[in-house]
Amino acid sequence: MASRNVEKLVSIDAQLRLLAPAKVSEDDKLVEYDALLLDRFLDILQDLHGGEIRETVQECYELAAEYEGKYDPKILDDLGKVITSLDPGDSIVVTKSFSHMLNLANLAEEVQIAYRRRIKSKKGDFADESSATTESDIEETLKRLVGQLNKSPQEVFNALKNQTVDLVFTAHPTQSVRRSLLQKHGRIRNCLTQLYAKDITPDDKQELDEALQREIQAAFRTDEIRRNPPTPQDEMRAGMSYFHETIWKGVPQFLRRIDTALKNIGINERIPYNVPLIQFSSWMGGDRDGNPRVTPEVTRDVCLLARMMAANLYFSQIEDLMFELSMWRCTGELRVRADELLRTSRKDAKHYIEFWKRIPPNEPYRVILGDLRDKLYNTRERVRALLADGWSEIPEEATCTNVEQLMEPLELCYQSLCACGDRLIADGRLLDFLRQVSTFGLSFVRLDIRQESDRHTDVLDAITKHLDIGSYKEWPEERRQEWLLSELRGKRPLFGPDLPKTEEVADVLNTFHVISELPPDNFGAYIISMATTPSDVLAVELLQRECHVKQPLRVVPLFEKLDDLNAAPTAVARLFSIDWYKNHINGKQEVMLGYSDSGKDAGRLSAAWQLYKAQEELVKVAKQYGIKLTMFHGRGGTVGRGGGPTHLAILSQPPDTINGSFRVTVQGEVIEQSFGEEHLCFRALQRFTAATLEHGMHPPVSPKPEWRALMDEMAAVATKEYRSIVFQEP
């Protein structure tokens, strides 16, 4: 045990020391950052646990560092003696101290990387981190497309405003760091960044140093381990906190940067505010594949929580806009609307806030926004009551029920300002707000529902047995399709309340009932994991109809294992050949590809190659039937789950597989490193947008026949070797 502890300690120290470069350049602040954090922590450690513990930690640190330099067994033995001499209480403190020191070293490195990136940006040097082979600055991408690849500025503008990137946030247990600690780490980063600002005063420095010590101590005193597993609602709140803290403000800031980049290539138009350049979806509270804690009630709560959060943010934003838009010049259309609202408010103020009555009639924009503010207040309070009690006395007509009710008055204000010569004002906070509404809607994020195909089979089996027409499970695929299509083309109800239900069957049906009861803008796609056949898709279409889903969710088959990926083009071709289905999807289909399960099934090399070939074949099938295909990439953070550099991952997709429409999961374990800070959020949005644009306008070349033959040969060998170890080795 002592030997393992010593090895771990040496490993931690080696990581700490490797962060420090041998020579410190003017731009490299890492040693300074690291030394400051370590010094402050050791002082705190002494205050909390006494000088002896501090000396022990320093002695362990120095011995580990000395061993790393000399690899002398005597030094390792001395280190082991120090550790084994500690009583259990002190050993816990020492272990926690080294864990905390490693966290601080990581924070120092993050601040240093951000510092170096700012220096490079000021110098205009993007050759290192923003090159075409690592990640892409949006302005550099636009300039490269125009200057090096001979695209016209108008072509670039048209391609950009017609593309959509949909980032799908998922909950995942490998994000082991508690949100409380992540926030404290964020504040430590901020303090460190401000401490080294050039224009800082001595008083500011002293106050920041105190704040830094406070946050270091708070992080050290915080339990690193969750003592209770998070509920799906907890996961959703944690995910939504990123929207509140960085993404909400980050989206309009990023779109403004695109406007600036377009100006620099000669386009004097802004990206239209109603163009969904960036969209956000979520699996938190909707992904029930293998998770018994995600129930229909959880899905309902998560949708209402997101709606309440959106209404609350819009409500705050409207108040700021009302303060800003104090102008009196307006169009006749806006004046008529304002006068009508003033008359209405005097007749019935029951559902209006007292502030309403204080709006002067000669400030028409405030009248329009005041009405919208009241509706948002009612929306928030109605949803709050529905969450708490299941009902609300606020009538639905006094709230915003769809995004058009929110957009229309804002557009009216925007057009009026532009018509009256106040475009400069219109293109300020109001434009940002319009873009936020267009991006987030009333639902904040659209919730995907994910369920395993076998669960739908169980429901249909219960139905066919109840109807005395046999066992759906035992039917061959052809008979399943024939029966499903006959029911989809008909109009009779398939089952009633007398259907015998197991707990699992009731859960599936109740999920569809929740989808039918909530506003349709709450939901995105219905994803079928472990999909293998056309009947898997048709089954969900039928269940949506039977459960009275008025606006059916688009149904997305998820092909995961190697055999499923091989069979995917044939299954999709069969679906497209069905007249009912082709008419139903209105020329659009989404297919999800599973990176994690395919890697676990065949190994990374074989999975990556099969994913590539499957996409090529799926695109061929879609073109044959005149369908626009969207690929949904289920990538994780680690290499084994499809992770890797975002820019390279997008550019390496086969030609014609993106075409301005890219959908990808942002797994729970990487959300923090992509969206935990404002600058990280900006970079993430930039990477996805720039790479999607570049792939569409300058697609990669297809592999040569000899490359394909070699990859096929390598993949066959790799699969055999991988499976011989993972599946056949006892």
Side-chain angles (χ1 to χ4, degrees), residues 656-675:
D656 298 326
T657 57
I658 292 182
N659 287 332
S661 181
F662 186 68
R663 198 163 197 252
V664 64
T665 52
V666 182
Q667 298 282 358
E669 75 268 29
V670 297
I671 292 175
E672 171 67 22
Q673 66 195 56
S674 297
F675 295 95

Side-chain angles (χ1 to χ4, degrees), residues 249-322:
K249 292 180 180 177
V251 166
Q253 288 171 358
F254 173 62
L255 293 174
R256 283 191 177 278
R257 179 61 57 85
I258 291 181
D259 291 340
T260 303
L262 286 168
K263 250 182 205 176
N264 292 336
I265 62 167
I267 297 292
N268 291 316
E269 288 183 66
R270 295 182 181 275
I271 289 288
Y273 55 74
N274 56 353
V275 166
L277 200 63
I278 297 285
Q279 290 184 321
F280 296 93
S281 302
S282 171
W283 280 12
M284 300 172 190
D287 182 8
R288 58 232 321 118
D289 181 14
N291 188 348
R293 295 185 303 143
V294 179
T295 63
E297 293 75 26
V298 163
T299 296
R300 177 183 176 277
D301 285 354
V302 161
C303 288
L304 291 176
L305 272 169
R307 216 167 182 83
M308 185 174 74
M309 290 177 182
N312 194 45
L313 281 170
Y314 289 140
F315 179 79
S316 300
Q317 199 91 331
I318 282 284
E319 288 194 314
D320 294 338
L321 267 178
M322 288 180 70

Side-chain angles (χ1 to χ4, degrees), residues 130-355:
S130 296
S131 70
T133 56
T134 53
E135 68 176 62
S136 195
D137 173 88
I138 188 68
E139 185 164 340
E140 290 299 305
T141 298
L142 299 191
K143 287 179 178 177
R144 186 165 59 251
L145 287 169
V146 172
Q148 297 175 21
L149 302 175
N150 299 318
K151 306 295 182 183
S152 72
Q154 192 61 45
E155 281 181 297
V156 173
F157 180 58
N158 290 340
L160 189 58
K161 70 182 181 181
N162 286 314
Q163 81 172 35
T164 299
V165 174
D166 190 354
L167 305 179
V168 185
F169 282 38
T170 77
H172 202 274
T174 51
Q175 172 50 287
S176 56
V177 184
R178 295 179 60 201
R179 186 73 193 145
S180 300
L181 271 176
L182 291 173
Q183 289 177 338
K184 290 174 177 62
H185 291 166
R187 290 194 287 269
I188 291 171
R189 276 194 297 264
N190 291 338
C191 288
L192 201 55
T193 301
Q194 293 176 63
L195 268 172
Y196 283 89
K198 289 184 178 179
D199 57 350
I200 189 171
T201 67
D203 288 345
D204 288 340
K205 191 167 187 176
Q206 183 176 339
E207 290 166 10
L208 278 168
D209 193 39
E210 289 176 3
L212 181 67
Q213 293 176 60
R214 187 161 50 247
E215 295 300 338
I216 291 173
Q217 182 166 335
F220 183 62
R221 289 289 214 183
T222 299
D223 193 347
E224 294 185 67
I225 301 168
R226 290 188 183 97
R227 300 299 171 180
N228 297 305
T231 66
Q233 290 94 327
D234 292 334
E235 291 173 341
M236 180 266 182
R237 288 188 185 93
M240 290 301 101
S241 67
Y242 293 99
F243 287 87
H244 192 274
E245 292 165 18
T246 63
I247 299 173
W248 175 255
K249 292 180 180 177
V251 166
Q253 288 171 358
F254 173 62
L255 293 174
R256 283 191 177 278
R257 179 61 57 85
I258 291 181
D259 291 340
T260 303
L262 286 168
K263 250 182 205 176
N264 292 336
I265 62 167
I267 297 292
N268 291 316
E269 288 183 66
R270 295 182 181 275
I271 289 288
Y273 55 74
N274 56 353
V275 166
L277 200 63
I278 297 285
Q279 290 184 321
F280 296 93
S281 302
S282 171
W283 280 12
M284 300 172 190
D287 182 8
R288 58 232 321 118
D289 181 14
N291 188 348
R293 295 185 303 143
V294 179
T295 63
E297 293 75 26
V298 163
T299 296
R300 177 183 176 277
D301 285 354
V302 161
C303 288
L304 291 176
L305 272 169
R307 216 167 182 83
M308 185 174 74
M309 290 177 182
N312 194 45
L313 281 170
Y314 289 140
F315 179 79
S316 300
Q317 199 91 331
I318 282 284
E319 288 194 314
D320 294 338
L321 267 178
M322 288 180 70
F323 186 79
E324 183 175 307
L325 298 186
S326 55
M327 304 84 210
W328 59 269
R329 288 183 179 87
C330 68
T331 58
E333 184 183 1
L334 189 135
R335 175 70 65 185
V336 168
R337 176 79 63 85
D339 290 344
E340 183 183 336
L341 286 171
L342 283 170
R343 285 195 301 272
T344 306
S345 70
R346 292 191 188 102
K347 288 179 182 177
D348 182 14
K350 183 178 179 182
H351 300 296
Y352 290 84
I353 300 169
E354 287 301 313
F355 179 77

Side-chain angles (χ1 to χ4, degrees), residues 643-661:
T646 299
H647 187 76
L648 281 176
I650 296 174
L651 292 186
S652 67
Q653 301 307 312
D656 298 326
T657 57
I658 292 182
N659 287 332
S661 181

Side-chain angles (χ1 to χ4, degrees), residues 604-620:
R604 283 301 307 128
L605 176 70
S606 304
W609 180 231
Q610 190 54 48
L611 284 161
Y612 189 96
K613 292 197 295 182
Q615 288 187 74
E616 289 182 314
E617 293 303 314
L618 286 166
V619 165
K620 287 180 186 175

Side-chain angles (χ1 to χ4, degrees), residues 432-617:
D432 288 345
F433 192 28
L434 280 162
R435 285 172 163 175
Q436 286 168 322
V437 173
S438 179
T439 300
F440 300 106
L442 279 175
S443 60
F444 216 177
V445 294
R446 288 180 180 267
L447 184 71
D448 282 358
I449 304 295
R450 185 168 78 135
Q451 182 61 276
E452 192 176 358
S453 58
D454 285 347
R455 297 292 297 276
H456 307 128
T457 301
D458 291 341
V459 175
L460 292 170
D461 191 63
I463 292 171
T464 56
K465 285 178 177 176
H466 181 60
L467 296 174
D468 292 326
I469 58 173
S471 172
Y472 180 85
K473 279 184 180 179
E474 296 174 2
W475 291 352
E477 173 64 15
E478 292 74 14
R479 186 176 177 189
R480 288 186 182 187
Q481 289 181 33
E482 183 183 346
W483 180 73
L484 290 166
L485 285 168
S486 69
E487 293 298 333
L488 283 164
R489 290 177 178 131
K491 295 182 178 179
R492 65 170 186 174
L494 192 57
F495 62 89
D498 60 334
L499 176 70
K501 304 182 190 79
T502 63
E503 188 176 333
E504 290 77 13
V505 168
D507 183 81
V508 173
L509 291 175
N510 288 339
T511 299
F512 282 108
H513 287 310
V514 166
I515 296 170
S516 71
E517 291 163 5
L518 290 172
D521 63 355
N522 275 310
F523 299 101
Y526 193 107
I527 295 153
I528 312 166
S529 55
M530 293 299 172
T532 56
T533 59
S535 65
D536 291 331
V537 175
L538 296 174
V540 175
E541 295 287 7
L542 180 60
L543 290 173
Q544 287 197 90
R545 193 198 73 179
E546 290 302 311
C547 294
H548 311 293
V549 179
K550 295 181 181 66
Q551 293 186 28
L553 279 59
R554 63 185 189 276
V555 180
V556 179
L558 166 53
F559 299 105
E560 301 179 79
K561 294 191 175 180
L562 207 62
D563 290 343
D564 300 338
L565 289 169
N566 281 323
T570 303
V572 170
R574 168 59 185 145
L575 278 172
F576 293 164
S577 69
I578 299 169
D579 290 339
W580 179 91
Y581 187 78
K582 192 175 180 184
N583 294 332
H584 176 71
I585 61 174
N586 198 26
K588 295 178 182 178
Q589 177 67 52
E590 187 176 315
V591 171
M592 185 172 181
L593 305 169
Y595 285 68
S596 177
D597 280 324
S598 59
K600 284 184 276 190
D601 181 39
R604 283 301 307 128
L605 176 70
S606 304
W609 180 231
Q610 190 54 48
L611 284 161
Y612 189 96
K613 292 197 295 182
Q615 288 187 74
E616 289 182 314
E617 293 303 314

